[in-house]
């Protein structure tokens, strides 16, 4: 794929994300607290998360292995950062999930498709299309890399902490819904989403790439409308207890 074709691919992905962003304000993605029978056949939440997230981990591994630049310090660092996230998301996070929730196969399939495309999008740029003079060793001390790395790991840790808080809201056997109160949940009702957005904003900055920026846009397009739906649901269930909490961006939205 030439750089021009790749940029066209990025443009199409960005346009699709715009449609997704708008659509999700009208249609609630049917997983988690919004799952309904209308989404069709569903499978175990744990299995669905593994099957949905593992493909991008595998795609990045394959693309890295076949790249002649795979052991260049900056390229290898990017690879490790990305894989740390997806190893946790595909092989650790699902095993920590509690309860017997299910995910519709339709939702899982859409997630698999996006992850395959995104893995290709990130790997193609980093391992093959980026100018050879761009990611030299000096990149590791550049403001882009330092600021981006700080945001990337701050967002990752916030996401992990927020997931931990959510997992421990219920006692065994309890199926009721609760309003999270700890950590960043003091300020937003979707602190886990805020962490993930910060993380991929860091990725876009530390790689200084259009592919990273498109991934950030997809993250926002997918998570911000869902955060709005969760906020509205909490308003219905808990009323004034939600207080001044915003949806996903502290003090803003």
């Amino acid at each position: 794929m030439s750089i021009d074709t790749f940029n066209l691919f990025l443009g199409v992905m960005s346009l699709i994300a715009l449609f997704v962003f708008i659509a999700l304000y009208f249609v609630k993605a049917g997983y988690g607290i919004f799952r309904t029978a209308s989404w069709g056949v569903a499978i175990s939440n744990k299995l669905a998360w593994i099957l949905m997230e593992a493909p991008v981990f595998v795609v990045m591994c394959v693309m890295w292995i076949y790249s002649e630049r795979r052991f260049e310090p900056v390229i290898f660092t990017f690879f490790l950062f990305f894989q740390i996230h997806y190893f946790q998301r595909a092989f650790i996070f699902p095993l920590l999930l509690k309860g017997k929730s299910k995910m519709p196969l339709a939702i899982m399939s859409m997630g698999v498709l996006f992850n395959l495309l995104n893995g290709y999008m990130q790997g193609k740029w980093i391992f093959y299309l980026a100018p050879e003079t761009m990611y030299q060793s000096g990149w590791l001390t550049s403001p882009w890399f330092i600021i981006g790395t700080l945001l990337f790991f701050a967002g990752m840790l916030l996401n992990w902490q927020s997931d931990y808080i959510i997992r421990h809201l219920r006692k065994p056997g309890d199926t009721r819904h609760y309003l999270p109160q700890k950590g960043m949940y003091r300020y937003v009702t979707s602190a886990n989403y805020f962490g993930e957005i910060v993380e991929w904003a860091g990725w876009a900055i530390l790689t200084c790439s259009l592919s990273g920026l498109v991934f950030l846009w997809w993250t926002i397009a997918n998570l911000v409308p869902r955060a709005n739906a969760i906020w509205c649901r909490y308003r219905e269930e808990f009323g004034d207890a939600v207080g001044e909490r915003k949806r996903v961006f502290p003090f803003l939205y």
Side-chain angles (χ1 to χ4, degrees):
M1 179 182 288
S2 68
I3 189 66
D4 290 337
T5 305
F6 182 72
N7 287 335
L8 178 60
F9 170 58
L10 295 182
V12 172
M13 288 289 288
S14 298
L15 186 60
I16 295 173
L18 176 60
F19 287 119
V20 169
F21 178 73
I22 295 170
L24 287 179
Y25 269 98
F26 298 94
V27 180
K28 297 180 180 67
Y31 66 95
I33 63 174
F34 298 114
R35 187 175 78 84
T36 63
S38 63
W39 281 90
V41 178
I43 64 172
S44 161
N45 216 19
K46 293 183 179 182
L47 178 60
W49 273 103
I50 293 171
L51 294 176
M52 185 169 63
E53 302 291 346
V56 67
F57 184 88
V58 174
V59 166
M60 284 293 279
C61 282
V62 171
M63 296 188 76
W64 174 76
I65 288 171
Y66 283 97
S67 172
E68 295 180 355
R69 306 174 62 186
R70 60 186 178 276
F71 289 121
E72 293 180 13
V74 178
I75 301 297
F76 187 60
T77 300
F78 290 165
F79 173 70
L80 288 179
F81 283 9
F82 194 87
Q83 296 298 70
I84 286 171
H85 170 91
Y86 277 103
F87 182 83
Q88 193 276 343
R89 183 60 66 183
F91 306 113
I92 297 177
F93 169 77
L95 301 181
L96 297 174
L97 293 173
K98 297 183 178 181
K100 299 180 180 180
S101 297
K102 294 186 176 182
M103 182 185 296
L105 281 174
I107 295 292
M108 188 201 77
S109 299
M110 287 186 283
V112 170
L113 177 60
F114 170 74
N115 279 329
L116 288 171
L117 292 173
N118 186 48
Y120 177 82
M121 183 167 63
Q122 305 308 314
K124 188 67 174 181
W125 170 257
I126 292 170
F127 304 138
Y128 300 97
L129 293 180
E132 292 186 8
T133 57
M134 183 174 182
Y135 295 134
Q136 298 300 306
S137 297
W139 191 267
L140 297 175
T141 58
S142 69
W144 296 108
F145 182 81
I146 294 171
I147 294 171
T149 297
L150 291 174
L151 286 174
F152 182 81
F153 284 103
M156 180 186 293
L157 292 175
L158 174 57
N159 179 258
W160 291 358
Q161 180 202 39
S162 301
D163 284 341
Y164 176 87
I165 292 170
I166 289 289
R167 285 197 303 271
H168 290 81
L169 284 175
R170 298 171 178 169
K171 295 180 180 179
D174 189 356
T175 59
R176 291 176 295 176
H177 293 152
Y178 294 90
L179 180 66
Q181 304 282 354
K182 299 179 181 178
M184 191 58 70
Y185 286 109
R186 297 184 182 93
Y187 306 100
V188 295
T189 53
S190 293
N192 50 343
Y193 294 167
F194 175 62
E196 192 154 351
I197 291 169
V198 170
E199 182 178 358
W200 295 118
W203 173 261
I205 293 170
L206 72 91
T207 60
C208 203
S209 64
L210 282 177
S211 57
L213 191 61
V214 172
F215 185 16
L216 172 61
W217 168 222
W218 261 97
T219 304
I220 292 171
N222 184 44
L223 297 185
V224 170
R226 185 168 176 82
N228 175 68
I230 291 172
W231 184 86
C232 292
R233 178 69 172 267
Y234 282 168
R235 277 287 185 183
E236 292 175 4
E237 288 195 40
F238 305 111
D240 293 339
V242 175
E244 297 299 318
R245 291 179 180 87
K246 300 299 183 181
R247 293 161 176 80
V248 64
F249 300 113
F251 311 111
L252 296 175
Y253 177 79

